[in-house]
Structures are given as C-alpha cells and as structure tokens.
Amino acid sequence: MNNFMLHTPTRILFGAGQIAHLASEIPSGSKVLITFGGGSVKKNGVMDLVYTALKGVDISEFGGIEPNPTYETLMKAVALVKAEKIDFLLAVGGGSVLDGTKFIAAAVFCNDDPWNILQTHGTTIKRALPMGSVLTLPATGSESNNGAVITRHATRDKQAFHSPHCQPVFAILDPVYTYTLPARQTANGVVDAFVHTIEQYLTYPVDAKVQDRFAEGLLQTLIEEGPKALKEPENYAVRANVMWSATLALNGLIGAGVPQDWATHMLGHELTAMHGLDHARTLAIVLPSLMNNKREQKHEKLLQYAFRVWNIASGDEDARITQAIAATRRFFEDMGVPTRMRDYQLDGSSIPALLAKLEEKGLTHLGEHQDITLEVSRKIYEDAR
Ligand code: NZQ
Ligand code: ZN
C-alpha cells in the first residue's frame, strides 16, 4: 500500500428528513446565497423544504446553473455574491450545481481572470467562501470532495480544479429527493459512480486489501441496486444504497494509498466539451475501449475484477478478461446508457479535434503508468466508434 494523507472534513447528514438540521449547519447571521440549476428543485418541492428549514435566514437565490456548469453563467453569480455581500453558499441540486458553486466560492476572491483557477488546476486558490449542499443527484461525489469541473463555452473547454478551500462544509443526503430523477439521470449517476470506483481500482495491485474490497463492494452494490433504481424509483432502500455508494466512490477513501488512472474521465470530458454528451455517457463510451486497450498493463486487476465483481472463474485468463469487459459494457447498456459513439450519432470524424484538445492541455501521458499517449488515446477513441 502506498503512503497517504486523508482528511474528509465534510459533515454528512444522511437520510430522510435530515433537512431539519440545515439551519444549525449554517453559521448564524450568515447572508446565504442558494444556488440551483434549471428548476427541478422548485418543481419537486426540495426548495420549499430548504426555505422552511431556513426560516428567518437572510437568503438570496441564483438559478440557472446548467448541466456541465459554464464559466459564463457562474461569473454572473460571482457578481451577485459581491454585490450582495454574501458570506455562505448553499448549493441545492446535482453535481453541476455543486461544482459551479465551488467555482463561485473561489472566484469571488480572484483578483485576476478567474479562468486561471482552471488553468492552474486550483493550486492558486488561497481562500473561498464556505459552502454546504443539499444533494439531489447521486453521481459525482462532489458533495464531499474538493473537486469541480467547469466548462467554458467560448473555447469549448471543460477543465477540473481541486482545492481544500472548496470542500463543502456539510452535505445533506436525503434519498427521497432522488425519487424524481428522470431515468436517464438515475442511470448516469450509477454509471458515473461506477467509473469513479474503477478509476481508483482498476490499475495494478499494491496489496491494498481494504481499498480493493471497499471498491469491489461499491461496484457490486451499484450493479445490484442500479437496475432496481430504474424499476422502482421510489424504493427508499435502493435509493439510499445508490446515494451512499456514489458519495463513497469519490470522497477520497477508496483512492487513498492506491494508484489511480482517470484517463477515462479525461477522454470523456473532451467528448462532453465538443459534443455536449452527458458526462456519464462519455465514460460509458470510453471505459470498455480503454479496458481492452490496456488489458496487458491492467492484467492482474482485470482478473481480480472479473472474479470478485462478476464471478467469472472459467476460461483462460484472456477469456476471463474479455468476459469482464463485456459484462461491464452490458451493465451500462442495461442501465440504458449506450456504449458506442455511433449510438450518439458520432462517426469518429472529430477524433483528431478531440486529440488536439488533449494535447493543448498537456494530457499526453495519462493513466496510472502515464503511458496513455495521444496515440493510445486515438486508439481508444477509434475502438469506441
Ligand atoms: O438543472 P436542474 O433543473 O436541477 O435538473 C438537473 C439536470 O438537468 C436534473 N436533476 C438533478 N436532480 C434532480 C434532477 N431532476 C429531477 N429530480 C432531481 N432530484 O439532472 C440533470 C443533470 O444534473 P447534473 O448536476 O448536471 O448531473 P450530475 O450530478 O451528473 O453532474 C454532472 C457534472 O459533474 C461533473 C461532470 O463533469 C458534470 O459537469 N463531475 C464532477 C465531479 C466532481 N466534482 O468530483 C466528478 C465527476 O467525474 C464529474 O466530472
Ligand atoms: Zn465522473
């Protein structure tokens, strides 16, 4: 096991009715800005519950944060925060609202162009406004990590940043709030959490037994509960298991002390930036192809994954790996998330442009061995057509 430092300071309030504790999580006397997306939280009543819980608190609102939140929209919120002297941000929504709010929190204190936050991957952030969240879409883990992914429309860039200053102070995770998710978003969330787990698990063995078994437990839970969440959207137990899996998949725990990959995400982000595909859908396109292309380097973990996650025990080693990749693809497809570019009317003609974007960002040595060069990325995209 590799050395690690782990600090996961977000207070999690998990379960039905936890919103009752919302007011006590926000410092008294705060001037709060509630951030939200396109309005789902107003339609499904979550926003009403937030207002009820925050009776007497000084609140402003900023809505319209889009899926794959944009710099252009978020900068409007930054102006509002400054004008209204906001001192606490409360994100109510999915990963995009949470990510966007992290950016707002940091950009408020920027003296230069806040896009530099992305250019420097967050390393230049010295302070940020405190934020909390009421999560309505289990997927990204953004509620208890310090990362965010922001898109700039003007340049079709989608980039991530990380900063301990942007770690949410608290997260309210009420599985009931996820009942109203459209099937597509439920499926996206399960696939995203699945791939987060894979990115931190499917590399090479370092004898990290706890991290491996936690990861395998999350993968098996998502495989078991994901399809049920589609069939029984109001099954509390199912929603709760999916929600907690998604949080644990990316709060730092399973990634501590193990090698990590993240190439699927990097290649996927370019597909979203260029073609507007949902984040999870890009991962479903890239991952099976990446697994196949890196089957030699990931050989041992692929065999472990085949056996422990999918119970694949027969056939020679190569056949078992092939079966495991096929099972992964089938799982995504069964969740209603197609796994080939052609399913999204993409013929691969944009691959050179996708590679140019990777190159522009210096993403030319990806993966746990830094051996996913542009040539390998090309092959991964081409095989995903
Ligand atoms: O905008 P509203 O009207 O709220 O509707 C949203 C949105 O259209 C809707 N929705 C959310 N909760 C709902 C609901 N509809 C009905 N009922 C509910 N309870 O779902 C749609 C998608 O929401 P979005 O927040 O975009 O989805 P998700 O949570 O999947 O977030 C995706 C974003 O997170 C980034 C992605 O790149 C993408 O930009 N990621 C962030 C990460 C992080 N911070 O650690 C890691 C991830 O790998 C990922 O890259
Ligand atoms: Zn993701």
Side-chain angles (χ1 to χ4, degrees):
M1 193 188 307
N2 301 334
N3 290 3
F4 63 86
M5 273 165 53
L6 178 66
H7 182 51
T8 52
T10 301
R11 192 159 37 251
I12 304 284
L13 289 85
F14 190 96
Q18 288 286 22
I19 193 110
H21 302 290
L22 177 59
S24 54
E25 292 298 318
I26 298 176
S28 61
S30 296
K31 203 163 167 15
V32 177
L33 181 71
I34 295 181
T35 51
F36 62 101
S40 70
V41 294
K42 294 216 163 174
K43 275 188 230 119
N44 63 17
V46 171
M47 193 65 107
D48 288 339
L49 296 171
V50 169
Y51 269 94
T52 305
L54 292 182
K55 219 169 177 177
V57 176
D58 187 352
I59 297 173
S60 305
E61 278 187 9
F62 181 85
I65 298 178
E66 54 281 84
N68 307 307
T70 67
Y71 169 81
E72 287 85 352
T73 299
L74 300 169
M75 287 309 292
K76 293 181 192 155
V78 171
L80 181 69
V81 167
K82 287 182 178 168
E84 302 209 354
K85 302 200 167 25
I86 299 293
D87 47 29
F88 196 95
L89 301 173
L90 178 64
V92 184
S96 293
V97 174
L98 271 64
D99 281 11
T101 305
K102 291 176 182 178
F103 177 79
I104 298 165
V108 167
F109 296 110
C110 260
N111 296 321
D112 51 2
D113 177 3
W115 186 251
N116 287 339
I117 290 174
L118 283 309
Q119 302 286 42
T120 56
H121 316 291
T123 53
T124 50
I125 297 173
K126 298 280 180 294
R127 59 188 290 218
L129 283 177
M131 69 166 277
S133 76
V134 177
L135 185 72
T136 64
L137 200 178
T140 62
S142 187
E143 64 279 10
S144 74
N145 67 38
N146 65 26
V149 189
I150 307 297
T151 296
R152 192 169 192 168
H153 256 320
T155 51
R156 288 197 171 179
D157 279 314
K158 180 167 180 162
Q159 280 178 244
F161 75 89
H162 292 85
S163 168
H165 299 288
C166 296
Q167 177 95 24
V169 181
F170 67 84
I172 296 197
L173 307 184
D174 185 335
V176 175
Y177 298 172
T178 70
Y179 289 178
T180 57
L181 280 168
R184 168 165 155 179
Q185 297 303 340
T186 296
N188 281 351
V190 168
V191 169
D192 194 20
F194 191 92
V195 180
H196 293 160
T197 309
I198 289 281
E199 299 270 32
Q200 301 161 89
Y201 165 77
L202 201 65
T203 56
Y204 55 88
V206 291
D207 202 18
K209 292 187 195 301
V210 175
Q211 292 90 324
D212 276 6
R213 289 197 163 102
F214 272 5
E216 288 150 0
L218 294 175
L219 295 170
Q220 287 187 316
T221 304
L222 291 164
I223 291 165
E224 257 172 50
E225 303 296 279
K228 287 190 212 158
L230 292 177
K231 281 192 212 90
E232 306 166 44
E234 304 206 358
N235 183 325
Y236 180 86
V238 167
R239 292 293 197 179
N241 280 306
V242 169
M243 197 165 210
W244 190 222
S245 298
T247 300
L248 288 175
L250 199 49
N251 73 343
L253 184 67
I254 62 166
V258 297
Q260 303 193 11
D261 182 339
W262 295 106
T264 298
H265 269 71
M266 295 305 111
L267 270 62
H269 285 166
E270 297 308 333
L271 281 167
T272 297
M274 194 156 306
H275 299 293
L277 302 188
D278 294 353
H279 171 62
R281 295 176 168 238
T282 70
L283 307 177
I285 293 170
V286 175
L287 181 67
S289 174
L290 182 137
M291 281 172 152
N292 193 43
N293 273 282
K294 300 311 281 177
R295 57 196 292 153
E296 252 175 61
Q297 294 81 354
K298 293 180 184 291
H299 185 85
E300 281 182 69
K301 285 308 265 298
L302 273 166
L303 281 175
Q304 183 179 324
Y305 169 68
F307 181 64
R308 292 204 197 162
V309 176
W310 294 106
N311 302 315
I312 297 168
S314 61
D316 64 24
E317 292 190 346
D318 227 34
R320 277 181 265 155
I321 289 174
T322 301
Q323 284 181 63
I325 298 171
T328 309
R329 187 187 291 285
R330 202 161 46 241
F331 170 57
F332 295 163
E333 298 272 354
D334 288 350
M335 288 299 296
V337 181
T339 58
R340 303 217 186 249
M341 281 194 197
R342 58 177 174 269
D343 301 321
Y344 302 91
Q345 288 73 53
L346 300 181
D347 61 5
S349 54
S350 68
I351 292 173
L354 294 166
L355 294 169
K357 277 291 184 188
L358 286 175
E359 186 168 23
E360 188 185 311
K361 295 190 188 119
L363 301 174
T364 52
H365 290 87
L366 297 170
E368 66 274 19
H369 299 293
Q370 294 84 51
D371 60 354
I372 302 188
T373 59
L374 286 181
E375 243 348 277
V376 180
S377 291
R378 176 194 306 282
K379 182 80 172 31
I380 292 170
Y381 279 136
E382 283 176 355
D383 291 353
R385 282 178 290 183

